Amino acid sequence: MFVPSFHLIAPRRWLAPSALLLALSAACVPTRPAAEARAGNESEPGSLTVSGAQPTPGARSVAISEERPATAPGTVAGAGLDRGLVIREVLAKNPDIDARRAAWRAARSKGRQVDSLDDPMLGYEIAPLSLVSKMRFGQTVRLSQRFPWLGKLANASEAEERAAAASGHELELTELDLALEASLLYDEYWVVDRSAEVNSEHRNLLGELKRSAEIQYSVGRASLSDPLQAELEIAMLEEQDLGLASRRDIVVAQLNALLHRPPQRPLPAPPADLGVVLSVPPASIDLQRRAVASSPELKKLAAKSRAAQARIRYAERQYYPDVTLMASYSSMFAEIEHQFMLGFEAPIPVQRGSRAGMVDEASAMAAELDHDAKSVTDRIRARVEVDRRRVVEAIQVVTLYDSRLIPTARSQVAAARADFGAGNTNFATVISAEKSLRNVQLARHAAAAELSKRRARLDRSQGRFPLGSRKGGAR
């Protein structure tokens, strides 16, 4: 069997094309600068604007150190749990934010994928029998590049950029939802803590009433059941404290989950005063106008609509063919004039059905988004109206507790104790007055927390962070 030796027969005639192929292969190996590699592993800097200017997804609200903090999250030098700092910590540490940021980066990278030409094609052929014959060595080198019709790449890139902008608004929505959840849990944490304090105060009050009943019993002005009734009420308060302790642990675990911390890790106590604002919100029509203008949901739909319009333009340009330019060299022609060739190729766009389908699909998607935007606008307006009305109701309830219910309940307890000391009423009346005061105080704290929750929901309906700012605060 004869095995030809290429190196001996024609080492120089085909060495140059082979070297060209090797050089082009080496040039196609992707390289990544060290600075770019480091930058790819870092989070995107920037800040996210809630309303007004175009948001910059990928922002962190505060710089978070990897080291364990000296004070617990949501504190200022150990001053206690603060709503605004809790929200900032949640926005900085919650993994959902990082997940949305990564999704936004992935969406943004698609624009660069479609906004570039295909790689040029290099072909090489040889006539193998010419290697073992005395004929001219036959080889052909072809180089081609496909060029899309003018505007196709720009339309495809624009569509992906608009879709990436919609992904950025998804990040904004996630931040708003997490901030609202953190604010609601903060209010729940506050009301549990205040309820435990009310129960502690009433345990002391019942202890005083029990000692008063024992004194009255010792002088024959009360029955033996009176101090026992006080003891029963104290035991019932202790049973309520068990439930409050369980509620507190549950809320702490939920807050720690938002903070990306172990669920059992303790949190500092909330402030004594929630600082609710009793001023009535602006008129509903003004709030609705503000909500529609700054709604991240509508901004996301608008970005998707612009992406759909770009896809329509891209689909319409599919009727125009792409052009491939070619150049070749062949050594199998003796005349130099015939060895070099230039040319082009292009598809004949006679199959119009698929192209018409692309245009119809893109147009239908754009129409769907327009209808969705109208529906979302209606829901936003209704939600603002409902949330505002609930805030007004909560303000009226808290005002009623402060102006009438709590003062009346305190006066009732004072009057019952005085009557009991003078022997004008029985001990059951004193216990009933104490229960009424305790229930009113607990209800007032619950009403204050509910007012804070409703204001936070009203802020969320307007596309704002709780309490009117990203940093949060008392409300």
Side-chain angles (χ1 to χ4, degrees):
M1 181 176 178
F2 175 71
V3 179
S5 175
F6 296 158
H7 290 284
L8 295 177
I9 295 177
R12 295 182 180 177
R13 287 185 294 177
W14 60 274
L15 181 59
S18 300
L20 176 61
L21 285 173
L22 290 176
L24 288 174
S25 299
C28 293
V29 176
T31 59
R32 191 181 184 190
E36 181 182 349
R38 290 193 301 269
N41 296 326
E42 297 175 355
S43 299
E44 304 280 344
S47 60
L48 181 62
T49 303
V50 177
S51 62
Q54 180 74 11
T56 303
R60 288 185 180 270
S61 55
V62 289
I64 302 299
S65 172
E66 294 297 332
E67 299 178 357
R68 187 168 181 175
T71 58
T75 65
V76 181
L81 198 66
D82 175 77
R83 183 199 306 269
L85 290 181
V86 168
I87 292 175
R88 292 174 62 188
E89 290 280 324
V90 168
L91 297 180
K93 294 184 176 180
N94 192 278
D96 289 347
I97 301 295
D98 294 327
R100 294 295 177 271
R101 184 177 294 111
W104 170 75
R105 288 209 318 267
R108 190 180 61 173
S109 66
K110 291 182 180 179
R112 298 194 300 271
Q113 298 177 31
V114 300
D115 190 21
S116 59
L117 297 174
D118 293 341
D119 290 334
M121 299 295 294
L122 176 65
Y124 179 68
E125 299 174 307
I126 64 171
L129 295 181
S130 68
L131 297 173
V132 294
S133 68
K134 296 182 179 179
M135 301 294 293
R136 177 191 298 273
F137 174 63
Q139 62 178 349
T140 301
V141 180
R142 293 188 178 89
L143 183 65
S144 63
Q145 173 67 62
R146 187 177 72 90
F147 293 93
W149 192 267
L150 184 64
K152 281 187 177 181
L153 293 182
N155 292 146
S157 178
E158 180 186 3
E160 295 300 337
E161 289 175 359
R162 300 302 186 185
S167 180
H169 291 299
E170 284 283 357
L171 172 60
E172 184 178 0
L173 286 169
T174 301
E175 288 195 327
L176 287 171
D177 291 339
L178 285 174
L180 175 61
E181 185 178 358
S183 182
L184 297 181
L185 287 174
Y186 180 90
D187 292 325
E188 186 67 19
Y189 185 59
W190 179 86
V191 77
V192 169
D193 186 80
R194 303 315 300 162
S195 298
E197 184 174 346
V198 169
N199 280 0
S200 177
E201 293 174 356
H202 280 268
R203 275 199 307 273
N204 297 332
L205 175 59
L206 286 170
E208 296 177 4
L209 295 179
K210 178 183 177 182
R211 289 189 292 272
S212 176
E214 290 171 346
I215 293 174
Q216 295 286 19
Y217 174 72
S218 65
V219 297
R221 299 174 62 180
S223 66
L224 180 60
S225 63
D226 291 346
L228 294 178
Q229 185 177 2
E231 181 62 29
L232 177 61
E233 293 295 331
I234 293 174
M236 293 179 65
L237 282 179
E238 293 176 355
E239 186 270 339
Q240 293 180 17
D241 287 340
L242 295 177
L244 290 174
S246 178
R247 284 178 59 189
R248 188 181 193 278
D249 291 341
I250 292 173
V251 175
V252 167
Q254 292 172 326
L255 276 172
N256 279 327
L258 291 181
L259 292 164
H260 194 47
R261 296 171 2 132
Q264 70 280 0
R265 191 167 176 182
L267 290 171
D273 186 11
L274 193 59
V276 292
V277 176
L278 299 180
S279 59
V280 177
S284 177
I285 189 64
D286 295 332
L287 295 181
Q288 293 176 31
R289 189 181 301 110
R290 184 186 307 168
V292 171
S294 61
S295 169
E297 292 91 345
L298 290 177
K299 291 179 181 178
K300 182 182 72 172
L301 288 174
K304 287 185 174 181
S305 179
R306 289 191 291 269
Q309 296 296 329
R311 291 191 179 96
I312 292 175
R313 293 190 290 272
Y314 175 77
E316 291 172 343
R317 290 186 180 274
Q318 296 306 308
Y319 286 99
Y320 301 96
D322 299 337
V323 178
T324 301
L325 300 182
M326 301 176 295
S328 65
Y329 164 78
S330 177
S331 66
M332 292 182 288
F333 296 97
E335 297 83 0
I336 189 67
E337 292 82 1
H338 293 164
Q339 290 180 349
F340 293 94
M341 301 287 291
L342 295 176
F344 76 94
E345 64 178 0
I348 302 175
V350 296
Q351 304 298 332
R352 304 176 68 85
S354 61
R355 295 174 172 84
M358 290 181 62
V359 174
D360 291 343
E361 179 186 8
S363 300
M365 291 180 61
E368 177 188 8
L369 291 168
D370 290 340
H371 292 306
D372 286 344
K374 295 177 182 178
S375 177
V376 170
T377 299
D378 293 337
R379 289 199 297 269
I380 288 174
R381 291 184 180 277
R383 189 171 60 197
V384 169
E385 173 65 23
V386 170
D387 289 342
R388 182 190 179 278
R389 187 65 191 89
R390 288 175 176 171
V391 168
V392 172
E393 176 194 0
I395 291 173
Q396 294 170 345
V397 170
V398 172
T399 302
L400 180 61
Y401 274 107
D402 291 342
S403 62
R404 295 184 59 186
L405 292 176
I406 288 184
T408 302
R410 291 187 185 278
S411 299
Q412 185 184 25
V413 169
R417 294 184 68 178
D419 288 343
F420 179 70
N424 296 329
T425 188
N426 56 29
F427 191 68
T429 302
V430 180
I431 292 296
S432 177
E434 180 275 329
K435 281 185 177 181
S436 297
L437 176 60
R438 180 181 2 129
N439 291 335
V440 167
Q441 288 177 326
L442 291 174
R444 197 278 177 190
H445 290 318
E450 183 64 22
L451 172 56
S452 180
K453 292 178 181 179
R454 292 184 181 186
R455 283 193 180 274
R457 292 191 180 98
L458 179 59
D459 286 336
R460 175 62 185 87
S461 298
Q462 301 172 72
R464 301 166 56 195
F465 284 90
L467 313 173
S469 70
R470 187 187 184 94
K471 295 182 179 180
R475 174 65 65 90

